[in-house]
Amino acid sequence: MITIKEINQQLIEIEEIKNTRKIIERKKSDVDSELQRKKREAKLLALKLSKERSDVEALQTQSFKRFFASVIGKLDEKLSVEQNELMDVKLKFDELHEEIDFLKRELSGFKSELNGLKHIDNDYDYLIDKKTSILRESNPEFKKEMDDYVKNISLSKEQLIEITQAIRVGSNSRSSLNQALIKLRKADNLARWDYHTDSLLLTMTKHNRAEEANRLITRARSQIKRFKKECGDVNFEFHVSTVYMTEYSKTSDMLFNNLFTNWGFRSSLESTISTVTHSLNEIGVVMNKLRDLEYKHNSIIESSEHKLDKMIENG
């Protein structure tokens, strides 16, 4: 039967291999980045090479460029320059492809090395499980302390699931209220213009925006109700003011469409904008507290897992 001492020795050897793996992964990442950069350079150089070839071919064949160079008596000189430029670019292109081939071989080597180390994590987990089992059976104090850590981790993970769900629902309710606020402000801006016009289209449009806002507020009310329930699941109680919808007769405003009907519509809008803004602020406060709670449980899990690992490691 394997002993704790033998397990510890094997764990030390695995840690050394893990450190080697980290170095290989870093080198692989560096080589991969360099390879991608060289490939981009090669694409640009290929375009330049194609252009230089075209310039040389244009001087070697019947073309206006060749004719013009012949007329001024510098055809040979021009052709020589273009050929030298082509050779320079071709040389750089070939050198770049040699570098790319070398980097590909290096990358392939690193991948092969990492594939050979895939079993390390499974070996480590097996040894830790074996060591934990031996320690639990041979040491009652260790078993009790370990069970306490495991219980704390489990409870915090359960709470995190509930908190994450509550944050998601809270975010949805804020989104609906924010969208409603945008619609309400658009309706209010249109109502400002309606003081100075007698447009039936403008009156209809401002009411349409208000109705769209009301639909979003109806959705937000349901989401806030669920948000409260989700928060109750993590023993977190809070209060959010009731969000009231814009209530004003669309028919009256469209029939009379005067200063008083528009004033009444805007007064209702302003009241709704105020309650929506207030509710958004209240939900924001709750969301911040939930995120603090999320951070707290993540810290408990991280700390407990670290202590548990150390306890097993030093056992």
Side-chain angles (χ1 to χ4, degrees), residues 222-236:
S222 298
Q223 290 167 334
I224 291 170
K225 186 176 180 181
R226 189 179 168 200
F227 184 39
K228 288 181 177 179
K229 181 182 178 303
E230 294 292 343
C231 287
D233 291 342
V234 291
N235 301 316
F236 191 83

Side-chain angles (χ1 to χ4, degrees), residues 7-21:
I7 290 175
N8 285 339
Q9 183 56 42
Q10 289 182 40
L11 286 172
I12 290 170
E13 291 170 4
I14 285 177
E15 282 298 330
E16 290 174 357
I17 295 171
K18 280 187 170 185
N19 290 334
T20 301
R21 184 176 63 180

Side-chain angles (χ1 to χ4, degrees), residues 129 132 136 142-158 300-301 303-309 311-312:
D129 289 343
T132 303
R136 283 174 64 87
F142 176 89
K143 181 180 181 301
K144 182 181 180 305
E145 192 174 356
M146 181 181 174
D147 287 345
D148 288 341
Y149 280 130
V150 170
K151 183 180 178 181
N152 287 337
I153 292 168
S154 178
L155 288 173
S156 285
K157 284 184 175 179
E158 287 176 13
I300 289 172
I301 292 169
S303 173
S304 296
E305 287 180 342
H306 178 73
K307 289 175 181 176
L308 186 58
D309 288 343
M311 190 175 73
I312 295 169

